[in-house]
Amino acid sequence: MDLTHRPRRLRRDRIRGLVSETTLEPTDLVAPVFVDATADARVPIESMPGHERVPIEESVARVEEVLATGVEAVILFGIPESKDPEGSRAWADDGVIQEATRRITDGTDAYVITDACLCEYTDHGHCGHLEAGLEGRSHEHEPTTTVDNDATLDALERIAVSHAAAGADMIAPSGMMDGQVGAIRGALDREGFSDIPVMSYAAKYESAFYGPFRDAADGAPAFGDRRHYQMDPANAREALREVRLDVEQGADALIVKPALPYLDVVGAIRREFDHPVVAYNVSGEYAMLQAAAEKGWLDLDAVAHESLLSIKRAGADLIITYFAEELAPGL
Ligand code: PBG
């Protein structure tokens, strides 16, 4: 056979690594950590095997476990001691995230990113303040619009400033309110936190893959859904528009969420923008691999590694993933 091109020549053991196009390092990964002000012991999260909510007192110990694997960054989510219609525990100085952030930044070298949103703090579970008159509506009378975008921006500013004051290294607004990046950037700058970057959830889809997280963080909407503020899974061009707006408002890094079902979006953003692109490999993506592995149908480490490698290959610089601790030591 007279074949000129034999791609297999570069697939032998001693050359394969040298020509590999994509690498995965522990420093590419961000580990989510759940801190629960209502818990006095660690509580396993059933739909996310290997993950738990930890009491504030254990937040430093929990982050030290993450650091021991080689992962250097965490993103914190909080379960407050109480909820109200405004979500006021989200910006309280003695709130769960503020307390945990102070302890973790004082006690460890972790790079601490905080998720700035209201859904874990409002009693109705939406990511913002409800428009007047809509409180308590049930899904029988599902309103088409529920969240008052502009009223929510004030709350997001307060949240971001309170996180920064507690020592957060980076703020990640996830509520998909229009103008949230500009509002937060302005508030941080006014309060003397101009060095704190904003990593925006720029293209966050209204996804069914968030189910296990909503159990973990107790943030499911009590009525309606989030489709009037999170993005329609049908749209990719709109993601570029969302990202452009966030870049104009001063976003330092751009999140696409979820990751695996949206790799086309990760790739498109990578090509159009030069900011760091972050993919959020969400709770449902984690849970489905865990469930299949539990049945013996998939090799967990292999599929998790392949998933994260694919997310990087598509163009992500960083991956927020529940697999961080599991995979990092083997990388
Ligand atoms: C808060 C928030 C959510 C997630 C991250 N931040 C939930 C949501 O939007 O419903 C989901 C993360 C995951 O599923 O892993 N707005």
Side-chain angles (χ1 to χ4, degrees):
M1 245 329 214
D2 186 17
L3 274 180
T4 307
H5 299 289
R6 292 182 185 272
R8 290 174 47 169
R9 287 180 200 125
L10 298 182
R11 291 183 196 141
R12 296 177 181 209
D13 283 348
R14 290 174 59 245
I15 183 72
R16 207 170 40 242
L18 292 173
V19 297
S20 136
E21 298 174 26
T22 311
T23 55
L24 195 57
E25 313 279 342
T27 50
D28 298 330
L29 308 178
V30 179
V33 166
F34 296 97
V35 185
D36 185 348
T38 69
D40 37 44
R42 295 185 180 215
V43 186
I45 302 167
E46 212 182 313
S47 50
M48 298 171 66
H51 284 272
E52 46 194 10
R53 303 168 166 199
V54 302
I56 293 169
E57 297 68 44
E58 293 217 28
S59 51
V60 169
R62 177 74 193 92
V63 170
E64 274 167 353
E65 293 164 12
V66 173
L67 296 177
T69 67
V71 173
E72 297 178 355
V74 293
I75 183 162
L76 301 183
F77 295 99
I79 295 96
E81 50 290 281
S82 63
K83 305 187 187 222
D84 58 34
E86 282 74 43
S88 61
R89 296 302 298 167
W91 60 82
D93 269 345
D94 60 349
V96 56
I97 288 299
Q98 291 77 3
E99 290 283 359
T101 299
R102 265 192 293 275
R103 290 174 189 235
I104 295 164
T105 52
D106 283 350
T108 77
D109 291 329
Y111 189 82
V112 175
I113 304 166
T114 55
D115 182 88
C117 195
L118 282 160
C119 57
E120 294 119 68
Y121 302 87
T122 51
D123 51 12
H124 46 75
H126 277 287
C127 300
H129 290 170
L130 297 187
E131 289 182 337
L134 292 177
E135 293 92 342
R137 297 271 298 256
S138 71
H139 40 266
E140 278 95 53
H141 311 284
E142 193 179 310
T144 50
T145 302
T146 53
V147 172
D148 183 338
N149 189 89
D150 296 10
T152 301
L153 296 181
D154 293 340
L156 289 171
E157 290 183 23
R158 290 195 202 183
I159 296 172
V161 169
S162 74
H163 288 181
D169 293 301
M170 183 185 251
I171 313 293
S174 68
M176 286 299 277
M177 297 301 128
D178 291 335
Q180 64 180 7
V181 172
I184 287 175
R185 182 71 272 154
L188 290 173
D189 291 353
R190 274 195 307 280
E191 300 296 329
F193 299 112
S194 52
D195 286 340
I196 302 294
V198 174
M199 180 166 84
S200 79
Y201 285 79
K204 177 173 176 178
Y205 286 87
E206 205 270 324
S207 170
F209 286 99
Y210 305 150
F213 176 95
R214 291 179 184 174
D215 298 341
D218 192 21
F223 63 92
D225 52 47
R226 305 211 210 281
R227 71 180 71 172
H228 57 285
Y229 44 102
Q230 297 182 347
M231 281 186 61
D232 183 345
N235 296 355
R237 293 190 300 270
E238 188 192 356
L240 295 177
R241 204 151 72 227
E242 277 283 2
V243 165
R244 195 165 297 119
L245 290 172
D246 284 8
V247 166
E248 284 165 10
Q249 291 169 44
D252 298 282
L254 306 164
I255 305 180
V256 177
K257 180 184 171 189
L260 289 175
Y262 297 88
L263 292 187
D264 57 328
V265 177
V266 172
I269 294 173
R270 167 75 299 145
R271 288 187 294 276
E272 291 264 332
F273 296 90
D274 56 9
H275 291 61
V277 176
V278 186
Y280 197 142
N281 178 229
V282 302
S283 58
E285 300 175 62
Y286 178 80
M288 64 185 177
L289 298 192
Q290 289 282 350
E294 214 169 273
K295 282 187 171 272
W297 293 348
L298 289 173
D299 172 342
L300 185 63
D301 270 10
V303 288
H305 187 269
E306 186 178 329
S307 298
L308 301 192
L309 196 64
S310 300
I311 294 168
K312 279 209 71 188
R313 191 195 62 235
D317 301 293
L318 287 177
I319 308 172
I320 304 171
T321 177
Y322 303 97
F323 288 116
E325 287 173 273
E326 216 155 305
L327 290 192
L331 296 177

